[in-house]
Amino acid sequence: MTATGASEGVGARGAPVSNGPWWWARRRSAVLDVFLAAASALECVVEGVSFAHEAQLPELLGMLLGLLAGPVLLVRRRWPVVVVLVSIAVMPAEMGGLLSVVGLYTLAASDVPRRITGLLAGMTVVGTLVTTFLTLREDVATQQDFHPPMWFVPLMALAVGLVLTAPPVLWGLYIAARRRLVESLRERADGLERELSLLADRAEERAEWARNEERTRIAREMHDVVAHRVSLMVVHAAALQAVALKDPEKASKNAGLVGDMGRQALTELREMLGVLRTADGASGRGTAASGAPERLAAVASRAGAKATVQARVPEQSAAGASAASSSAGPSVAGAESSVPGAGDAEAEGPCLTELADLVGQSRAAGMAVELMVDESAEGEAAAGAGRRYAARVERTVYRVVQEALTNVHKHAPGARARVRLAHRDGELAVQVENGPCEGGAADAGLPSGGNGLVGMRERVTALGGVFVSGPTEAGGFRVSAVVPADASRG
């Protein structure tokens, strides 16, 4: 900003721009000041000659005084106080009218403290008042036929002083106020722009965090739904290999069971990937894909319901993995057509009432597993009966048990396992513990990605619970989780 209050030296975004010489911000400002200085010098030279005649001084001295006072306007933007002081100094010589007006305007529009501006403006008014009063009184005295009242000369001197001083000062103050207002608005606009940029960055960070959380949740759901099914399929395949030569008919049934389980696992995986592709395509077209997580949860819940139906085998076998898998074969064909409560499963996912079926599914694969519920006299069939927790709590406990049993199949084939469920005041506790692997048990060769324990911990801690896992002194492994019963419903 210049001393005149014009928006000079400031770019479109508030950045300083200086392409003029010396203290001028722009060439246009320099040209204007040069023109004003030349006009003021010419005025002062003419008035200096007149003053020299009246004072009976050489004309050259009057011209020299005018040439010294008039061009001071060149420095009005840098030293406005100097310009006003020079104009006050030459007032007794009755010169510098333009110099005084422009100097007062520049002073009022500059950043000079207002007390200094008021002091110099008052000195200018007094100087103009005295000079005008003396001049008018002399002129009235020389005219014999003009006899004005006594108040005429003081009033006219006061009027001339105010007319020559008040307008430039008031106009300069207005320009300065407008300049400060523009500057404050520009600063506010810049501040708002910075805040909007910061908010946009934070929104992008939150969106990225949400995407990462959703990817983690999708990976966890796929791991829980598909990995358990595929692990059991591999266990049945190992049993099939063991009885292939001894009992071809039983081996054929087991092969059919493995094929059905594989096809169902592949179908569930395709459904999940289809949901993801639909969401990606909708986001690419600019369409909201807010229903993708709900659809994915429905797919995962439907998969859990199918797994539960398959675990309900009408025949029980105590001869090991091969006999159990052969008795489960006839029930696979009608699994999809008769799913009791499938709508509820899609809405809420697996619950505590399905723990017995989950344990039975692992027992059918050859694992010696026991389910115990505290203060329950009805055994496994009463797991969670009479109690209803938040769907998210029951689903989390179910997934912990499911993944723990899958890990037993992977890392401790032939080991005995025990599932304990405890209903406490305000919380739900579950523990899955297995003994050491039996030496004679055949290893199914299941790969491990190292994500099972991580996924269980994430599920439990997301509800404010506590998760602990580690080996036991007997050489087995223990997984424990405590989940608050009043966790928010999922």
Side-chain angles (χ1 to χ4, degrees), residues 42-226:
L42 180 60
E43 177 195 10
C44 290
V45 167
V46 173
E47 293 175 347
V49 172
S50 176
F51 171 73
H53 287 166
E54 294 178 1
Q56 297 180 358
L57 297 175
E59 294 183 1
L60 183 60
L61 184 60
M63 296 175 61
L64 180 60
L65 180 61
L67 289 176
L68 291 177
V72 176
L73 284 179
L74 287 173
V75 297
R76 70 184 184 94
R77 298 176 188 268
R78 191 174 183 89
W79 298 299
V81 176
V82 174
V83 176
V84 177
L85 290 176
V86 171
S87 67
I88 294 174
V90 299
M91 278 185 182
E94 299 182 358
M95 66 172 62
L98 180 62
L99 178 65
S100 177
V101 172
V102 176
L104 288 173
Y105 163 78
T106 305
L107 178 67
S110 66
D111 296 329
V112 176
R114 289 293 166 254
R115 62 178 182 274
I116 297 179
T117 302
L119 176 61
L120 294 178
M123 293 173 60
T124 304
V125 171
V126 173
T128 305
L129 177 62
V130 172
T131 304
T132 306
F133 177 79
L134 295 176
T135 303
L136 286 177
R137 190 178 66 175
E138 183 179 353
D139 292 343
V140 169
T142 56
Q143 296 181 7
Q144 300 297 332
D145 55 347
F146 181 67
H147 301 285
M150 294 181 60
W151 52 264
F152 175 77
V153 174
L155 182 61
M156 291 300 298
L158 180 61
V160 172
L162 294 178
V163 168
L164 294 179
T165 305
V169 172
L170 294 178
W171 183 251
L173 292 176
Y174 165 74
I175 293 298
R178 189 185 66 176
R179 179 191 63 188
R180 288 191 295 269
L181 176 61
V182 171
E183 288 178 350
S184 64
L185 293 177
R186 182 180 291 110
E187 291 176 358
R188 290 179 59 184
D190 293 340
L192 290 176
E193 184 177 358
R194 288 191 297 268
E195 291 180 2
L196 290 176
S197 177
L198 182 60
L199 290 176
D201 294 339
R202 290 181 179 177
E204 182 64 26
E205 292 176 359
R206 288 195 296 267
E208 183 64 25
W209 177 83
R211 285 193 291 267
N212 293 335
E213 286 293 320
E214 188 63 21
R215 293 191 190 101
T216 303
R217 192 180 72 85
I218 291 172
R220 190 164 55 240
E221 291 292 337
M222 294 179 67
H223 178 273
D224 292 341
V225 173
V226 179

Side-chain angles (χ1 to χ4, degrees), residues 121-396:
M123 293 173 60
T124 304
V125 171
V126 173
T128 305
L129 177 62
V130 172
T131 304
T132 306
F133 177 79
L134 295 176
T135 303
L136 286 177
R137 190 178 66 175
E138 183 179 353
D139 292 343
V140 169
T142 56
Q143 296 181 7
Q144 300 297 332
D145 55 347
F146 181 67
H147 301 285
M150 294 181 60
W151 52 264
F152 175 77
V153 174
L155 182 61
M156 291 300 298
L158 180 61
V160 172
L162 294 178
V163 168
L164 294 179
T165 305
V169 172
L170 294 178
W171 183 251
L173 292 176
Y174 165 74
I175 293 298
R178 189 185 66 176
R179 179 191 63 188
R180 288 191 295 269
L181 176 61
V182 171
E183 288 178 350
S184 64
L185 293 177
R186 182 180 291 110
E187 291 176 358
R188 290 179 59 184
D190 293 340
L192 290 176
E193 184 177 358
R194 288 191 297 268
E195 291 180 2
L196 290 176
S197 177
L198 182 60
L199 290 176
D201 294 339
R202 290 181 179 177
E204 182 64 26
E205 292 176 359
R206 288 195 296 267
E208 183 64 25
W209 177 83
R211 285 193 291 267
N212 293 335
E213 286 293 320
E214 188 63 21
R215 293 191 190 101
T216 303
R217 192 180 72 85
I218 291 172
R220 190 164 55 240
E221 291 292 337
M222 294 179 67
H223 178 273
D224 292 341
V225 173
V226 179
H228 184 72
R229 181 73 59 82
V230 174
S231 298
L232 293 179
M233 186 174 63
V234 174
V235 172
H236 283 293
L240 170 63
Q241 185 178 8
V243 301
L245 299 178
K246 299 179 182 179
D247 193 346
E249 183 178 356
K250 186 179 298 184
S252 176
K253 293 181 180 180
N254 289 342
L257 176 61
V258 171
D260 291 338
M261 294 179 67
R263 282 188 291 271
Q264 291 175 5
L266 184 59
T267 300
E268 295 163 3
L269 181 61
R270 285 175 177 173
E271 289 177 354
M272 290 185 179
L273 296 179
V275 172
L276 297 179
R277 290 194 186 97
T278 303
D280 292 341
S283 61
R285 296 189 301 270
T287 306
S290 59
E294 289 75 7
R295 293 178 58 191
L296 184 61
V299 172
S301 302
R302 184 165 58 253
K306 290 180 181 178
T308 302
V309 171
Q310 287 185 351
R312 295 173 181 171
V313 184
E315 299 179 9
Q316 299 293 332
S317 175
S322 59
S325 59
S326 63
S327 65
S331 64
V332 175
E336 294 186 21
S337 59
S338 59
V339 182
D344 296 336
E346 290 184 11
E348 298 183 354
C351 57
L352 294 182
T353 57
E354 302 175 8
L355 282 180
D357 296 326
L358 179 65
V359 171
Q361 187 177 1
S362 294
R363 186 181 292 118
M367 179 189 297
V369 56
E370 179 184 2
L371 174 63
M372 295 186 302
V373 181
D374 66 337
E375 301 179 1
S376 176
E378 298 180 5
E380 299 176 1
R387 293 178 179 267
R388 184 61 180 171
Y389 298 94
R392 194 176 180 186
V393 173
E394 297 196 6
R395 183 167 61 245
T396 297

